[in-house]
Amino acid sequence: MVEQVSPWAGLLVLAGVLVLAAVAASLDAALVQGRVSRRSLAVPWQEGARLLVQRRRTTLADDPLLWRFGGGALLVVAVLMAAVVPWAGWTVADLPVGVVWFNAMDVLLWAAVWILGWGADSAWPLVGGHRFLAQAMSYELPLMFALSAPALAAGSLRVADVQAAQSGLWYVVQMPVAFVVYLVCVMAFSLWGPFAAPLGSDIGGGVLAESAGVDRLLVLLGRYALLAAGAAFAVPLFLGGGQGPLLPSLLWSLVKTVTVIAVLVGCRRRLVLLRPERFAEVGWVVGVPLTLLQLLVVSLIVIGRS
Amino acid sequence: MELTGRLLRWGAMRPHLLLAEVPGSTGVRLAVEAHARQSEWPLALSPADADVLVVCGRPHGALADAVDTTWRAISEPRARLELSTPVGLSAELARAVAELSSVALQRDGAAHREPAAAGEQAAEQSHGDMDMSGAHGGMEMDRGSGMGMSLPGGLVMADRAQDRDGLMLDVLHLRLGPVLPCWPAGLALDVVLQGDVVQEAEVVTYEVPDASSYWLAPGAHDGALPVPAHLHRRTAARRLDAAARLLQLTGWTAGADQARRLRDALLEPSSDRLPDAAVSALARRVRRSRSLRWALRDLGAVPPEAADGLGRIAGDAHDRLLSWLDEAEREVRGDAAAVSPGQARRDADDSGAALRRLLPGLVRGLDVAGARLVVASLDLEVLPAPCPAEVARG
């Protein structure tokens, strides 16, 4: 059973998310350079140092409150997402509707990224913000259905219950389609890999086209943090939480989280950028029916068991 | 301050380079890109992302103004380099990195920056030379709207017009280029956007009077002599360079890096063995990739009757990409048909002007991403028209 700790442990969650984000960034740098060396692992820290001393920018008629809020919101959303993940029998927020909380947080990103694009009062960020909305409309429904599948099988929306219900067989085996769709949607809401059109190089960096210094650092850090939070949430939902032989459950959770992060990071350079209007076809015509079928299969299994 | 100095030095180990290429100085740009790839320095996506502005060539007139606007949009720590030849490149870049690492120099530069008001007035007067930097101009709104309401900064409300679905949407005038990553040198495209769909486009060129194409080596004007061996490598390298730009814009960065690596290997004067196996491998991967075909199909389709005389640009962006890689493969293997350098130069001049006439029609109705892919798929080079004496001689 999972015990709730004091909310001050939320700071621990922040620290944990930042550490995992750093791991993701290092893996990415190592993959880009094709080798794991001190030089490639130092890349995220060099970039961070560079952005910390860079002077911040503003545009002529920007909306400073919204623009800076949008930039900082990515990291905040990631921490809120990670707050419901149980680690070794402890969790910061043992909500009875943890799965829905995760979904609600990722919907906040719709506002955050679009406000980031709009607040800069410049053409490229605005185009990037609109691209994100077009993409988000295509991945949101499949994500919702993919999240419903484990909750349906476990009969509860509490993350701890979903984790406990996998003591027989992990859900990744029972509902692989939901797992794959979930991973794809984690990449999508982190603006990662094929879903990086809102940050595309063809529009000068998209929503980041006018950001420099700490603002830019917050958004880039937020991206890695979202990847980390999504990967951490996949573990209790599909990969059985801390279950496994030999090692303590905390270590198992970490190992599984880092593995999922590695898979997500590795997808980046191999896949072509998906143009939002072409992805809309895929999301609605393929994604929605597929996840609905998966839900049907899961429901039949649940009925058959009871 | 010690902490600032330390962070500055650490960050300067990995400067982001923003390249501003002047037509005719392609050799310098290639050398800078090769150096950046070897030192593992990334290329910046926008002035906000840049540390070092590397101007390849000597810009004059309107192009120099555009480069200055870009320079103003870069925030400290920053350094600026003007290179007219690839000789002494590493020393110049090392000097720029040293400038980036010096706290005193950067503080000094920041204190003596020209104030924003002057930059913004220049932007209002020149209306056009804001490339993608928005630091002092924000969104370029239509001047002639006459709605009478003035917004902060002296901007006016955007004009509205019907878009292709009959909705009244804001009209945005934007200039793509001339300083933009993966963009032809000396070219700018004035687009009228509604949402992010291009409604109209107009090509603006920044010509340099005595520029000649780097890919057709200077001095090889004689039609009678057989094609020198190094021209095969240059043509293959040219096609690989164009393919690398297009692949970078489609998001397949691994393929783009491979194409650039092969291009640099081909342009290396000392290597005797040509990387024909690697070029064939890349061509095979691109041909087999269904996601690339999905991303590029039906973009910038040039009908055959409009492409007469310019056989290689018929078809859509995907066809052009495949034809470049086929040509590169043939040139590296030595199977290519011999074309005299004079003929090649004439072809390049004709096709450049014709393509620039075709371009507005090709991008109309596409979104910005599609327009960028179409421009990259045409592999334009902005060169001055040949003088009649040379045409008659060749």
Side-chain angles (χ1 to χ4, degrees):
Chain A
M1 274 286 61
V2 160
E3 267 186 60
Q4 179 148 334
V5 294
S6 112
W8 286 112
L11 290 175
L12 268 180
V13 173
L14 173 62
V17 165
L18 288 177
V19 166
L20 286 174
V23 167
S26 308
L27 277 173
D28 185 40
L31 278 172
V32 165
Q33 296 197 351
R35 63 181 188 282
V36 178
S37 65
R38 256 184 59 186
R39 196 165 166 193
S40 66
L41 290 177
V43 166
W45 305 100
Q46 284 170 340
E47 291 290 333
R50 181 187 151 258
L51 288 172
L52 278 175
V53 283
Q54 194 180 34
R55 231 176 142 191
R56 294 166 78 190
R57 277 169 112 248
T58 181
T59 57
L60 191 57
D62 63 333
D63 191 327
L65 182 63
L66 286 181
W67 193 15
R68 312 301 179 193
F69 166 75
L74 287 180
L75 186 57
V76 171
V77 163
V79 172
L80 288 174
M81 278 180 177
V84 286
V85 175
W87 294 94
W90 304 84
T91 185
V92 171
D94 189 22
L95 299 174
V97 289
V99 175
V100 180
W101 171 261
F102 182 84
N103 203 353
M105 292 304 105
D106 89 71
V107 170
L108 280 184
L109 286 172
W110 287 48
V113 177
W114 190 81
I115 283 174
L116 180 60
W118 187 84
D121 190 33
S122 174
W124 300 127
L126 190 62
V127 170
H130 283 305
R131 280 187 185 179
F132 179 74
L133 285 184
Q135 222 168 259
M137 283 201 291
S138 317
Y139 77 67
E140 195 61 49
L141 275 184
L143 176 61
M144 285 184 182
F145 294 143
L147 284 174
S148 312
L152 190 61
S156 160
L157 287 171
R158 244 175 109 227
V159 182
D161 292 345
V162 175
Q163 179 176 294
Q166 292 179 60
S167 49
L169 189 62
W170 291 356
Y171 283 162
V172 65
V173 177
Q174 286 186 37
M175 48 192 84
V177 171
F179 181 59
V180 169
V181 170
Y182 173 79
L183 285 186
V184 167
C185 293
V186 168
M187 282 202 289
F189 68 60
S190 316
L191 304 179
W192 189 253
F195 300 97
L199 292 170
S201 62
D202 55 345
I203 47 171
V207 288
L208 283 178
E210 302 285 357
S211 308
V214 168
D215 310 307
R216 199 181 184 96
L217 179 63
L218 274 179
V219 175
L220 292 175
L221 188 58
R223 265 176 98 200
Y224 285 114
L226 285 169
L227 264 184
F233 195 69
V235 169
L237 216 63
F238 290 100
L239 294 174
Q243 296 164 20
L246 296 177
L247 296 172
S249 69
L250 180 63
L251 218 49
W252 264 124
S253 296
L254 266 177
V255 164
K256 291 177 193 176
T257 308
V258 172
T259 312
V260 176
I261 289 179
V263 166
L264 290 175
V265 165
C267 285
R268 183 200 208 181
R269 284 164 53 86
R270 304 181 171 283
L271 300 175
V272 165
L273 210 62
L274 283 174
R275 292 182 44 214
E277 71 271 14
R278 298 211 167 160
F279 176 59
E281 246 182 80
V282 173
W284 285 90
V285 173
V286 174
V288 171
L290 212 58
T291 41
L292 283 177
L293 274 175
Q294 172 74 87
L295 276 180
L296 180 65
V297 167
V298 170
S299 330
L300 290 174
I301 294 178
V302 168
I303 293 176
R305 249 191 312 181
S306 64
Chain B
M1 215 195 104
E2 194 42 52
L3 183 61
T4 310
R6 201 171 292 172
L7 287 175
L8 207 56
R9 274 191 301 277
W10 216 10
M13 287 193 222
R14 222 177 111 87
H16 290 211
L17 304 179
L18 184 63
L19 301 178
E21 188 187 343
V22 176
S25 305
T26 315
V28 183
R29 172 185 60 92
L30 293 170
V32 175
E33 279 189 11
H35 190 278
R37 197 177 53 75
Q38 273 159 4
S39 321
E40 283 161 354
W41 292 347
L43 295 178
L45 298 174
S46 72
D49 186 26
D51 294 320
V52 181
L53 178 65
V54 182
V55 187
C56 307
R58 296 221 175 278
H60 298 286
L63 191 53
D65 291 338
V67 170
D68 285 338
T69 309
T70 313
W71 173 241
R72 276 198 296 274
I74 300 180
S75 53
E76 278 81 6
R78 59 180 187 166
R80 180 174 177 161
L81 278 184
E82 262 194 37
L83 298 167
S84 43
T85 128
V87 175
L89 174 70
S90 6
E92 286 286 320
L93 282 171
R95 190 183 59 74
V97 168
E99 198 179 315
L100 275 182
S101 323
S102 151
V103 179
L105 267 177
Q106 295 301 327
R107 285 236 165 92
D108 208 42
H112 294 118
R113 223 180 212 273
E114 58 277 359
E120 202 248 318
Q121 270 169 22
E124 290 210 297
Q125 282 156 17
S126 67
H127 181 51
D129 284 331
M130 294 297 285
D131 36 275
M132 22 162 275
S133 66
H136 305 296
M139 210 147 59
E140 283 286 339
M141 307 264 198
D142 186 7
R143 274 308 108 96
S145 78
M147 283 206 39
M149 191 172 123
S150 105
L151 298 172
L155 300 169
V156 290
M157 290 276 281
D159 211 0
R160 286 151 73 85
Q162 282 205 343
D163 81 330
R164 56 189 179 175
D165 297 324
L167 298 169
M168 293 294 282
L169 290 183
D170 285 353
V171 168
L172 185 62
H173 295 259
L174 201 62
R175 170 163 287 198
L176 294 174
V179 181
L180 199 57
C182 301
W183 184 261
L187 185 79
L189 199 61
D190 279 342
V191 295
V192 173
L193 292 182
Q194 284 190 299
D196 75 336
V197 175
V198 175
Q199 303 294 347
E200 284 160 36
E202 194 187 311
V203 174
V204 173
T205 51
Y206 297 85
E207 279 181 11
V208 174
D210 49 357
S212 63
S213 174
Y214 165 82
W215 304 110
L216 307 162
H221 294 310
D222 302 313
L225 295 178
V227 176
H230 72 277
L231 269 186
H232 287 295
R233 302 171 106 191
R234 286 238 170 151
T235 313
R238 176 187 192 166
R239 300 298 174 223
L240 284 171
D241 183 45
R245 283 178 161 182
L246 186 55
L247 290 175
Q248 180 79 27
L249 287 174
T250 61
W252 190 33
T253 42
D257 285 344
Q258 175 70 353
R260 275 190 284 262
R261 201 172 312 139
L262 292 171
R263 172 201 71 188
D264 292 339
L266 280 171
L267 290 173
E268 186 75 20
S270 53
S271 59
D272 295 316
R273 247 173 41 83
L274 295 180
D276 49 344
V279 174
S280 301
L282 178 65
R284 224 182 2 255
R285 276 172 80 188
V286 170
R287 248 177 253 131
R288 279 203 312 231
S289 162
R290 307 202 30 210
S291 44
L292 266 182
R293 188 170 15 177
W294 186 48
L296 291 176
R297 66 159 193 252
D298 295 331
L299 271 184
V302 177
E305 58 272 10
D308 60 347
L310 310 168
R312 61 184 173 86
I313 68 156
D316 60 19
H318 187 73
D319 298 329
R320 289 192 279 273
L321 175 64
L322 291 182
S323 75
W324 289 339
L325 288 169
D326 288 339
E327 194 178 337
E329 231 184 323
R330 281 198 312 269
E331 296 276 356
V332 169
R333 269 202 311 246
D335 293 347
V339 174
S340 76
Q343 179 64 36
R345 251 183 84 243
R346 273 198 305 283
D347 284 344
D349 295 329
D350 290 339
S351 65
L355 287 175
R356 292 202 290 273
R357 274 194 302 276
L358 274 178
L359 187 56
L362 289 178
V363 299
R364 194 168 301 134
L366 292 177
D367 64 331
V368 172
R372 284 276 259 139
L373 287 171
V374 168
V375 172
S377 75
L378 290 175
D379 190 21
L380 294 165
E381 213 176 354
V382 174
L383 292 169
C387 53
E390 284 187 16
V391 171
R393 183 165 40 109

